[in-house]
Each structure stands twice: as C-alpha cells, then as structure tokens.
C-alpha cells in the first residue's frame, strides 16, 4: 500500500467516527463550536499517533479516550454552560429587559446531523436523541467533568463499567460510585421530559403546522391555544426568560413586535423540532435571519420556545441561507 493510499485509509477510518465523537463532546461541553474544536483536536492527535496505536483496544475506544482527555482538559477551567432558566427566575413582562451575557455563558444548540449518527436500532436512536435535548445537556453541566464522562459513556453509549474504568484509568467500583452520584444529580436538574423528533407523529406534525401558521400570522390567540400554560420562552444571549402564554404573547406584541410578518423554515436541533426564524428585512425586500428556535413539545402542547439569536454563528452551522426572498414559501 502506498503512503498516499495508507494516509487516505487512516483519514477515512478516523472520519467515520466524527459524528458520534461530536455528539459525545457536545454533551460534555455544551457548546457546538467547542465540541467541533475538541473533535478536530482528537482526530489530529489520533493521526499523529496512529503508528503508536497497537490495536490493544478498538479504534473507537482509543478515539473516545483521546476525546475524553481533550474535553477534561477544556473543562478544567471550570467552565459550564447554562440556559437562562438555570440562572434566574422568570421575568414578569412588566420588568422585561434585554441584558446580554457573554457567549461562553450559554448552552448552545446543535444540528441533529452533526451529532446523531445513523442508528439501525430504533431504541438506540431514541436514547441518542433524548440525550442531546437542551434540558438533558444543561443538566449534565451540573456534574463534575469525570462524572459527566461516566454518565454519558454508561447511560448514553452503553459502555460496560469495565470499559469506562479502563478508559478513565480507574476502578470499576469508582465508575459505579460516580454513576450513582451522577444519576442523583441529574434527577434534581433535568426537569420535565419533552418529545423528541424522529419521527414526529401525526398529532405532533399538526401541532407544529398550527404553530407555524400562528407565528407567521402573528395570531396571538391561535398561539396561546398551542402553548402550555407554563410554557417558557428564552432568548440567549439575553438572560431574560418568560413563563406562561400571557407573558410570552405580551412580549411578542411589545418588545418583540418587529417579528410580525416573519417566516419560519423547518430544521432539527438537539433531537427536537426547530425552525430558522427570518424577520422582514428592515432595509429592503425579503427576510433576514433572526433566530434559531428550538421547540419543546410535551403532551400535545408547546412547552418551550428557545430562541438563539446569534445568527452569524448559528445559520452557517445549520447550513441555512442568509436571506429569504419575499416570495419564498419558507416552510
């Protein structure tokens, strides 16, 4: 085998693990861009040291060991990411103000295609989707880094305790103890489960169709009928979050009134339905990016509208156009 052929073979073998490694690093770090940086670092380290890989473990296990070490190094700075609901209580509409916090404060959304590998087993696919929900990844942020790794490897990726112990250079007893503590912490912080998105059933599809019609028509009565009475709306990078359909629709008719006439384009993020939100272009025809909305659905109603406003970062990540023409049929 020529050197070029051998190099191409190594590249192909390493790249074959990119999506699942990105999902792992995203769960560890809570950041789309830090996760992709961590995976790139992992693959570069693996490439440079491939000759030292002696096959004593599988290539996959070796890559996860490298990725875990990369993530633990990044987490040693004490960083953890959050949602607005993790930092403060809800803000009454009468006191609503838009106060931005630094980018590295926030848990970030992630396109499904970058973190969810194709799984033949429906149960395995369901676990993967459940484990990238915003609420789940936010709950993971409350765990110390090694507990975080243990829980993801054991509960999400279904590794044996002995395999995790080998990866972390520790004992099976230590892994089991860390898992028990991590489960207890997660139970405290994860909150209410939401429906994941693949595939949506007929009722969920119709709910989202009605949501799009209500939002694009800026019909607050129709939107209220779709929102759970305790629904939340968040808008990173602002720390403000609203709870209850009255405050949400009141905000949309006041501070958020410029969103009237918007268009929504369907996408998928964090295992749940999502939309690219385009506002009318204030400087000319068509529509311009405003937010990526990640939607929580539970028991037939919308329980969360999580609007990520840093569109120069999110729209390219999701492969979304930077403009919609006036005659575009968005959905």
């Amino acid at each position: 085998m020529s050197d070029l052929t051998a190099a191409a073979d190594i590249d192909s073998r390493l790249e074959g693990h990119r999506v699942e490694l990105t999902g792992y690093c995203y769960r560890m770090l809570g950041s789309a861009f830090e996760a992709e940086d961590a995976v790139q670092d992992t693959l570069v380290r693996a490439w440079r040291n491939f000759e030292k890989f002696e096959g004593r473990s599988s290539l996959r296990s070796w890559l996860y060991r490298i990725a875990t070490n990369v993530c633990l190094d990044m987490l040693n700075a004490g960083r953890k990411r959050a949602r607005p609901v993790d930092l403060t209580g809800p803000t009454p509409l009468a006191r609503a103000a838009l106060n931005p916090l630094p980018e590295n404060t926030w848990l970030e959304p992630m396109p499904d295609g970058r973190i969810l590998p194709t799984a033949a087993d429906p149960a395995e696919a369901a676990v993967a989707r459940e484990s990238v929900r915003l609420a789940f990844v936010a709950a993971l942020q409350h765990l110390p880094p090694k507990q975080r790794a243990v829980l993801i490897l054991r509960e999400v990726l279904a590794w044996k305790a002995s395999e995790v112990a080998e990866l972390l250079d520790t004992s099976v007893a230590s892994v089991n103890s860390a898992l028990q503590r991590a489960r207890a912490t997660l139970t405290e912080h994860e909150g209410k489960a939401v429906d994941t998105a693949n595939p949506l059933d007929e009722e969920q599809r119709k709910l989202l169709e009605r949501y799009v019609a209500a939002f694009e028509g800026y019909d607050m009565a129709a939107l209220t009928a779709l929102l759970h009475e305790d629904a939340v709306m968040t808008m990173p990078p602002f720390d403000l979050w609203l709870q209850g359909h009255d405050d949400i629709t009141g905000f949309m008719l006041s501070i958020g009134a410029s969103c009237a006439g918007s268009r929504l384009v369907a996408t998928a993020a964090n295992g749940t339905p999502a939309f690219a939100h385009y506002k009318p272009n204030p400087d000319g025809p068509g529509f311009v990016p405003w937010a990526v909305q990640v939607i929580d659905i539970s028991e037939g109603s919308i329980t969360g509208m999580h609007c990520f406003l840093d569109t120069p970062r999110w729209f390219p990540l999701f492969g979304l156009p930077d403009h919609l023409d006036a005659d575009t049929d968005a959905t």
Side-chain angles (χ1 to χ4, degrees):
M1 183 181 295
S2 71
D3 288 346
L4 285 176
T5 302
D9 179 61
I10 294 171
D11 278 342
S12 177
R13 292 175 67 188
L14 295 178
E15 282 295 326
H17 295 276
R18 182 180 287 275
V19 173
E20 65 170 311
L21 288 172
T22 304
Y24 176 63
C25 293
Y26 173 70
R27 296 178 184 99
M28 286 288 290
L29 301 170
S31 164
F33 297 100
E34 287 183 0
E36 296 203 326
D37 287 347
V39 172
Q40 191 60 33
D41 191 1
T42 296
L43 298 181
V44 168
R45 293 187 191 190
W47 171 264
R48 289 174 177 168
N49 293 282
F50 200 82
E51 291 182 357
K52 300 177 184 177
F53 173 58
E54 299 173 354
R56 288 177 293 184
S57 62
S58 70
L59 175 61
R60 181 173 183 257
S61 297
W62 185 58
L63 289 172
Y64 270 93
R65 175 187 287 270
I66 298 171
T68 300
N69 288 332
V70 170
C71 289
L72 292 178
D73 286 345
M74 294 174 73
L75 290 167
N76 277 341
R79 291 174 297 172
K80 68 177 185 179
R81 292 182 177 254
R83 303 167 299 167
V85 298
D86 301 317
L87 301 181
T88 66
T91 304
L93 178 59
R95 297 207 306 269
L98 300 179
N99 302 309
L101 294 181
E103 171 274 322
N104 61 7
T105 305
W106 302 117
L107 183 70
E108 297 178 346
M110 192 63 149
D112 283 2
R114 290 181 180 260
I115 51 174
L116 294 177
T118 302
D121 181 352
E124 182 182 326
V127 169
R129 291 193 301 273
E130 181 75 13
S131 68
V132 295
R133 291 185 299 106
L134 288 172
F136 185 86
V137 179
L140 289 174
Q141 302 294 300
H142 292 276
L143 302 177
K146 284 195 175 180
Q147 280 188 29
R148 206 178 301 180
V150 167
L151 186 131
I152 297 167
L153 291 166
R154 291 282 285 120
E155 300 278 87
V156 177
L157 301 176
W159 285 37
K160 298 176 182 176
S162 57
E163 295 171 327
V164 179
E166 182 180 356
L167 183 145
L168 294 174
D169 293 322
T170 189
S171 66
V172 169
S174 178
V175 166
N176 289 335
S177 176
L179 179 59
Q180 185 176 12
R181 295 195 302 274
R183 283 171 173 165
T185 302
L186 210 64
T187 299
E188 292 176 14
H189 293 285
E190 187 181 1
K192 186 176 181 180
V194 301
D195 301 338
T196 50
N198 187 22
L200 293 170
D201 62 30
E202 184 66 19
E203 181 183 352
Q204 293 165 337
R205 286 196 297 272
K206 288 181 177 178
L207 175 66
L208 290 172
E209 288 171 2
R210 293 197 298 271
Y211 172 75
V212 171
F215 196 97
E216 292 188 344
Y218 234 57
D219 183 339
M220 295 301 117
L223 186 60
T224 295
L226 305 176
L227 294 175
H228 189 276
E229 62 181 7
D230 293 324
V232 301
M233 183 168 73
T234 67
M235 291 164 283
F238 302 117
D239 59 359
L240 166 76
W241 66 279
L242 301 161
Q243 185 169 43
H245 43 61
D246 289 344
D247 276 1
I248 291 172
T249 56
F251 179 89
M252 291 176 65
L253 290 172
S254 55
I255 297 173
S258 63
C259 288
S262 291
R263 294 289 180 267
L264 299 181
V265 176
T267 183
N270 295 84
T272 57
F275 295 97
H277 174 187
Y278 292 83
K279 286 174 63 172
N281 183 359
D283 300 317
F287 303 87
V288 293
W290 180 247
V292 169
Q293 297 183 4
V294 182
I295 304 297
D296 292 338
I297 299 174
S298 182
E299 299 175 354
S301 63
I302 290 172
T303 57
M305 301 162 58
H306 306 290
C307 307
F308 295 88
L309 305 183
D310 191 357
T311 54
R313 300 173 77 229
W314 303 129
F315 275 50
L317 182 73
F318 279 77
L320 295 163
D322 60 6
H323 184 269
L324 291 183
D325 293 335
D327 59 352
T328 298
D329 182 6
T331 55

